[in-house]
């Protein structure tokens, strides 16, 4: 298959890379319209480093320009006129750009072809799932393009038949006029003497009989032509309907589904260029056939011949109008969705686009688009064509926008850049439903005409469901509603129905997609992580993934009912983990330094088989958005016995004071990251560089973390790990923190049964440091100076 055909089927980042190859130096339209010619030339046969090859390059440049000019000359029709001008402009542009340096053109095209081949090769790698998908996509796109070629040939055939019909009908009318002239001559014979009448009458009667016989025969022929043409149009319209169903009900719906999943962090939905090109081909073919049917109707009116053709033409006209109405109303789409969690009094944006606007010349009288917010019930009524009396559920500022035509891209779109939801009117909620479970949608609507007011269209489209909040504290619950809807909505559903329960593996796919997107990481949730989450969600102790394959999770379990013994839901806990990781732990998660999804008992079992000083990082079970350090060390109360210690969880507040890496650096009793990696090997690249030496007599303060029980411990002095005192910013001995009141004295009330420390009470929280720094120097250090 030609490289260009495959390159057009690239998706996501590969498509963007391909598109970035083109610009004013080499327009993508030239690549498109001369694809076969470009790929048939021997570009590699030219040595770019040899100036003697410039002559060959110049010949290729001249040939390229000639091909462009030939292509321009063969463009016909209204749209062909614009393309003719554009291609002629590109020919002049390329000549002026490369005429003095034709080798640069060769260099440019070689780079383009090499990069396209690489992108296609990577995408079609048979060993990857993407490769298989690309193969199936290539076949599907090939079938679509073949159907368009068949439609083009059918339309050309009916155009030829229509011209033939018109020619025959015009000749029939001439002969009919001749028969009238003969009849008039016969009538005039009555005024002649009998002898003259007898002499001329037989000839005229014979001529009239011949003409009338021809007219009778030709009338039957014309009727047959008309019926044959109508049958061909019926065949064309059947294929048009089928092709339109594939483009609109398959490809466009799949694009919308990808757009919805992108809202959950799925891969980008991909550009609309290929879809628009298909929709424009549909529009062009439909319009050509509609004009042909209207011309056939005009010919019938010019020369009425009794028969079924009138009914057939009326049926064809009705069918083609239905087809073009479906195309126009379905291709009025939202290219950029408004935010699905929408906060009042906050600016937001959206873009709507008409995929066939350029082809139907809608931009000649640019339509205006209006945006309103409506409730779920109003959306249901709208889709049932019930009279909603233009009701809305709130007031959107800057909600009107004119559609603009962009000549370079051929797109007709309206960019709402500064909308703001001023107020919202909520409906009566059902049962346990909260405001963050109530769904709205932004309705975009417009009206425009095509064909010189021949057809008038009222178009409407609904955004993805929107949850309206008034405060940031509602964001995580609103996000849960949106995530569930995006993940599990069925195409063509009644707004905005979603299943109340889903299989656990389905939910795993959704939260894994969301997690990777939020954390911006290729490291997603492993099977072990998902088992941990299943244990949490279902209060289970099973470690076997198969036990959860057929289990279902309800919406209530997901984000309405609190987890057993907790004050938060499953989603609220998971969302807290994502938020903490995204803001403070992303590099460590990507490095694999954070196990994260491990419970306290599992951590203890893992650590007890490791040397003292081995530690791991796990997300807190008891606190939203918390992570704790667990490590194995000696039990101070029982000689020779070891135990696992757990710090009270760190949160975003803690990491805004001191980073995780620096906190781990401060704690000298932490030696190896589970299972056996020296901590500096993992975390040293993230340590904050040491402060510079004192200047002008001032000593710079420095925040450090200590765990009092381990403050002076250095289990391995030979390793070179400094003690806490080595890190100290002041000369004061800190092995007895109670001397200066920096840390509260150690007491049993600071430890729970599992050896957890409360860092807010025992470590260097900012307020303690600030209190220290406010004291007079003499009283602080008096004890040491004396």
């Amino acid at each position: 298959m030609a490289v260009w055909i495959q390159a057009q089927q690239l998706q996501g980042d590969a498509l963007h890379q391909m598109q970035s190859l083109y610009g004013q130096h080499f327009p993508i339209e030239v690549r498109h319209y001369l694809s076969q010619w470009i790929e048939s030339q021997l570009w590699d046969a030219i040595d770019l480093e040899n100036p003697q090859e410039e002559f060959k390059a110049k010949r290729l440049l001249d040939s390229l320009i000639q091909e462009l000019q030939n292509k321009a000359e063969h463009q016909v029709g209204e749209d062909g006129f614009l393309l003719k001008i554009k291609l002629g402009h590109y020919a002049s542009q390329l000549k002026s750009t490369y005429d003095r340096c034709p080798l640069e053109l060769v260099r440019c095209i070689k780079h383009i072809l090499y990069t396209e081949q690489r992108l296609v090769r990577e995408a079609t790698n048979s060993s990857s799932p993407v490769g298989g998908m690309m193969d199936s996509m290539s076949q599907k796109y090939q079938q679509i393009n073949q159907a368009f070629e068949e439609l083009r040939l059918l339309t050309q055939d009916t155009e030829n038949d229509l011209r033939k019909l018109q020619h025959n009908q015009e000749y029939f009318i001439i002969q009919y006029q001749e028969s009238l002239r003969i009849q008039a001559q016969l009538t005039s014979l009555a005024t002649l003497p009998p002898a003259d009448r007898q002499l001329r009458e037989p000839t005229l009667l014979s001529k009239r009989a011949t003409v009338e016989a021809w007219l009778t025969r030709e009338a039957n022929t014309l009727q047959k032509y008309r019926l044959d043409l109508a049958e061909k149009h019926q065949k064309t319209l059947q294929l048009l309907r089928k092709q339109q169903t594939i483009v609109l009900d398959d490809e466009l719906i799949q694009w919308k589904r990808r757009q919805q999943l992108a809202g959950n962090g799925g891969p980008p939905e991909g550009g609309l260029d290929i879809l628009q090109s298909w929709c424009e081909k549909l529009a062009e073919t439909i319009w050509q056939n509609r004009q042909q049917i209207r011309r056939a109707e005009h010919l019938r009116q010019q020369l009425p011949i009794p028969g079924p053709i009138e009914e057939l033409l009326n049926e064809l006209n009705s069918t083609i109008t239905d087809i073009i109405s479906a195309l126009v109303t379905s291709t009025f789409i939202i290219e950029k969705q408004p935010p699905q969690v929408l906060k009042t009094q906050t600016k937001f944006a959206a873009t709507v686009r008409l995929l066939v606007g350029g082809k139907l010349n809608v931009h000649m009288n640019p339509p205006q688009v209006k945006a309103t917010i409506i409730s779920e019930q109003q959306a249901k009524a709208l889709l049932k064509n019930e009279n909603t009396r233009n009701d809305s559920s709130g007031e959107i500022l800057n909600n009107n926008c004119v559609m603009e035509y962009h000549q370079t891209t051929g797109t007709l779109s309206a960019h709402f850049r500064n909308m703001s939801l001023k107020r919202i009117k909520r409906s009566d909620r059902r049962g346990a439903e909260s405001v963050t479970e109530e769904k709205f949608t932004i309705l975009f609507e417009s009206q425009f005409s095509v064909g010189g007011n021949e057809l008038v269209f009222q178009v409407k489209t609904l955004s993805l469901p929107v949850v309206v909040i008034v405060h940031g504290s509602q964001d995580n619950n609103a996000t849960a509603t949106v995530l569930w809807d995006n993940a599990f909505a069925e195409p063509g559903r009644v707004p905005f129905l979603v299943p109340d329960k889903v299989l656990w593996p389905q939910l795993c796919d959704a939260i894994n997609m969301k997690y990777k997107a939020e954390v911006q990481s290729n490291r997603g949730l492993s099977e072990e992580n998902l088992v941990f989450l299943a244990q949490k969600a279902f209060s289970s102790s099973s470690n076997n993934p198969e036990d959860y394959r057929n289990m279902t999770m309800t919406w209530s379990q997901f984000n309405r009912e609190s987890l057993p013994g907790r004050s938060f839901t499953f989603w609220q806990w998971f969302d807290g983990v994502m938020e903490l990781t995204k803001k403070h732990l992303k590099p460590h998660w990507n490095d694999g330094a954070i196990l994260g999804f491990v419970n306290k008992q599992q951590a203890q079992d893992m650590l007890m088989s490791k040397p003292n000083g081995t530690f791991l990082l796990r997300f807190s079970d008891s606190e939203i958005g918390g992570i704790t350090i667990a490590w194995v060390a000696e039990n101070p109360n029982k000689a020779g016995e070891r135990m696992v210690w757990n710090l009270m969880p760190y949160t975003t507040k803690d990491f805004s004071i001191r980073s995780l890496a620096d906190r781990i650096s401060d704690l000298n009793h932490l030696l190896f990251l589970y299972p056996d990696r020296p901590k500096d090997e993992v975390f040293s690249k993230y340590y904050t560089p040491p402060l510079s030496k004192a200047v002008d007599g001032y000593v710079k303060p420095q925040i450090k973390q200590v765990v009092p029980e381990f403050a002076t411990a250095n289990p391995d002095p030979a390793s070179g790990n400094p003690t806490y005192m080595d890190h100290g910013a002041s000369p004061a001995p800190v092995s007895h923190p109670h001397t200066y009141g920096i840390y509260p004295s150690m007491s049993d009330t600071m430890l729970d049964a599992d050896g957890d420390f409360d860092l807010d009470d025992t470590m260097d929280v900012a307020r303690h440091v600030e209190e220290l720094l406010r004291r007079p120097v003499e009283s602080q250090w008096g004890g040491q100076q004396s």
Side-chain angles (χ1 to χ4, degrees), residues 163-172 218 222 225:
R163 288 175 182 171
K164 183 178 177 182
L165 173 63
Q166 183 175 353
H167 174 76
N168 288 355
Q169 181 167 311
E170 287 171 352
Y171 188 68
F172 180 91
E218 192 63 19
L222 285 175
Y225 280 171

Side-chain angles (χ1 to χ4, degrees), residues 365-628:
N365 186 17
Q368 189 171 76
V369 184
K370 180 183 178 183
T372 51
I373 188 165
I374 62 175
S375 68
E376 185 174 333
Q377 290 301 320
Q378 289 166 336
K380 286 178 184 175
L382 183 73
L383 294 189
K384 290 179 182 176
N385 290 321
E386 295 177 2
N387 183 14
T388 57
R389 302 186 310 279
N390 295 320
D391 285 347
S392 70
S393 291
E395 181 182 353
I396 299 178
L397 303 179
N398 303 317
N399 66 330
N400 285 287
C401 186
V402 174
M403 298 196 88
E404 299 175 353
Y405 183 68
H406 305 275
Q407 188 76 37
T408 52
T409 58
T411 58
L412 182 72
S413 54
H415 299 278
F416 293 84
R417 295 180 175 87
N418 296 295
M419 287 192 288
S420 176
L421 183 59
K422 184 177 180 182
R423 61 178 181 83
I424 191 67
K425 181 171 66 177
R426 300 193 182 275
S427 59
D428 294 332
R429 290 181 294 282
R430 303 181 296 275
E433 186 180 275
S434 68
V435 295
T436 55
E437 294 180 33
E438 186 178 5
K439 299 173 191 174
F440 296 88
T441 181
I442 309 293
L443 165 66
F444 295 94
E445 50 191 337
S446 183
Q447 178 176 310
F448 52 85
S449 61
V450 298
N453 294 326
E454 208 174 289
L455 293 173
V456 178
F457 295 103
Q458 289 186 330
V459 292
K460 300 178 181 182
T461 187
L462 297 175
S463 75
L464 293 173
V466 166
V467 178
V468 177
I469 64 173
V470 296
H471 192 274
S473 61
Q474 299 171 309
D475 184 82
N476 64 345
N477 289 325
T479 301
T481 302
V482 167
L483 180 137
W484 190 278
D485 191 282
N486 285 346
F488 309 123
E490 293 290 332
R493 61 168 172 177
V494 175
F496 289 106
L497 293 182
V498 283
D500 183 60
K501 61 181 179 181
V502 296
L503 286 170
W504 173 249
Q506 291 178 284
L507 186 62
C508 287
D509 289 342
I511 60 178
N512 184 40
M513 179 185 291
K514 185 70 173 176
Y515 186 85
K516 288 199 292 185
E518 286 294 310
V519 179
Q520 296 178 337
S521 171
N522 290 325
R523 182 192 168 202
L525 302 175
S526 66
E527 189 168 83
E528 291 79 9
N529 298 155
L530 295 172
V531 167
F532 168 85
L533 292 172
Q535 292 172 338
K536 179 177 285 289
F538 300 114
S539 301
S540 168
S541 59
S542 171
N543 288 317
N544 185 359
E546 294 302 319
D547 291 346
Y548 303 105
R549 294 285 182 215
N550 297 315
M551 294 186 72
T552 59
M553 190 169 193
T554 66
W555 165 252
S556 292
Q557 289 173 299
F558 183 66
N559 195 46
R560 193 177 278 174
E561 301 166 358
S562 295
L563 290 168
R566 305 298 184 199
S567 60
F568 45 80
T569 66
F570 172 85
W571 165 256
Q572 288 166 348
W573 179 87
F574 184 78
D575 186 55
V577 165
M578 283 197 303
E579 191 71 10
L580 180 71
T581 308
K582 175 174 71 173
K583 288 184 175 178
H584 301 288
L585 309 176
K586 180 165 63 175
H588 308 305
W589 173 263
N590 289 338
D591 289 348
I594 297 174
L595 287 179
F597 299 98
V598 178
N599 63 41
K600 188 178 287 187
Q601 184 59 50
Q602 288 172 325
Q604 181 162 325
D605 294 343
M606 294 163 71
L607 290 170
M608 286 302 289
S609 63
K610 297 297 176 182
N612 286 349
T614 303
F615 68 99
L616 59 79
L617 298 154
R618 66 177 188 85
F619 297 122
S620 168
D621 279 321
S622 58
E623 186 166 352
I624 292 178
I627 190 169
T628 184

